[in-house]
Amino acid sequence: MTTTPLSILPTSDTRPGISGLSLDELGTWVAAHGQPPYRVRQIADAVWTDGGQTEAAAFRTLPASLREALGTEFALDTVADTELRSADGGLTEKALHRLRDGALIESVLMHYPARGASRERHTLCISSQAGCAVGCPFCATGELGFGRDLEVAEIVDQVRHAARRLAADGKRLTNIVFMGMGEPLLNLDRVLGAVEALNDPRRFGLGARHITVSTSGVVPGIRRLTALGPQFTLAISLHAARDALRDVLVPLNRRWPVAEVVAAARDHSLATGRRISYEVTMIAGINDTPADAEAIVDLLGDDHAHVNLIPMNPVAHTPWTASPMPVIEAFAATLREGGIGTTIRRNRGQEVGAACGQLAAERAGEPAAPVVARRRERLVVASAEALRGERSHEPVPAGVDG
Ligand code: SAH
Ligand code: SF4
């Protein structure tokens, strides 16, 4: 494992990030500075296709006065500092980014070598918020609570950083997944702005099919996406098909129960012709029983759906562990017999804490032992009640609108 430590302290820089500007906004800015329209193309190229060099170097082709105006009015990069850790023999690289106000977020770059007919892939997992309001107990980001929404530039700058690292090796990013910190559909306007920039052939230029947004089930957000038409691939974090258990594992289920989430996902799939991916984090003795597998078959059996089973990455503050592989295999067999395409995903980068939010959680400091003990006790009680089929009496998490 290699580590580059973070060093830079928070700054008072509040200039908007240049990568958050649409080409129209850039056009207005260029015109206001009395420059010809082709400068838009030049600036966008410098920001988006800098071939591995820093923006400062790429901007050298611009007249000095324009360079100065750009530097005064915009931040060329909203990521103040990045700590890199690599694992899996270099196949997984986890980046902890410090934003200008000191907020910590993370992204994970995963390299998949070519195998058989499938080409080599480089997938980046990015964050949409610092922390998360949903509070899933098995998720390290959920433990942190909500910090703030990321700006468009802060989302896409994670991509620019990874793309620059890859370009230095003559490689390109092939896939982007919004599976880092945060609930993307609770920051939907900015996530859509970021996807537009990542999709736009004149900016990052990655096809919609290569971008996946994962949600824990924000029904109004899914319905809004359906009305917009296909923008990217949608993944739903299911984890349990029974409401009582899902109330505990994905607390926003108390606001939007699982049947409503699946109905919205089904309508999205029918309207866009796209298959929906459902993610299930497998937790030993909690959501991995034959009855849970059968409940998923009942829920999704006739849908255009695919299920990914992911062994839970260990997270402090929970009494839980990953389901054993034979249990996951039996679970997968039940789903397949029920007609649902199912994949078992191997954990990536576990040793560098690649589970959602883990590195940032480490930085936030370990809570006092009695706090951890109380959380664990509460989870044991809540999951025992859920396994008896009792719905949660806990409130909907604060910050989950609707
Ligand atoms: N908030 C969104 C996207 C970010 S989480 C969502 O929940 O879908 C991305 C994925 O990581 C989700 O499927 C989530 O359930 C999963 N995840 C979180 N913590 C995990 C852990 N400890 N082990 C395995 N998967 C985890
Ligand atoms: Fe938030 Fe997703 Fe983590 Fe749940 S799993 S707390 S929704 S980031």
Side-chain angles (χ1 to χ4, degrees), residues 138-139 178-180 182-183 214-216 237 239 281 312-313 315 356:
F138 56 86
C139 167
F178 282 76
M179 292 188 181
E183 169 45 57
S214 174
T215 179
S216 55
S237 294
H239 307 310
T281 294
M312 187 187 112
N313 271 314
V315 178
C356 183

Side-chain angles (χ1 to χ4, degrees), residues 51-77:
Q53 59 187 331
T54 62
E55 306 83 351
F59 280 125
R60 275 199 195 109
T61 55
L62 297 176
S65 60
L66 198 62
R67 256 192 348 248
E68 202 182 304
L70 277 171
T72 309
E73 294 181 43
F74 301 109
L76 304 183
D77 188 356

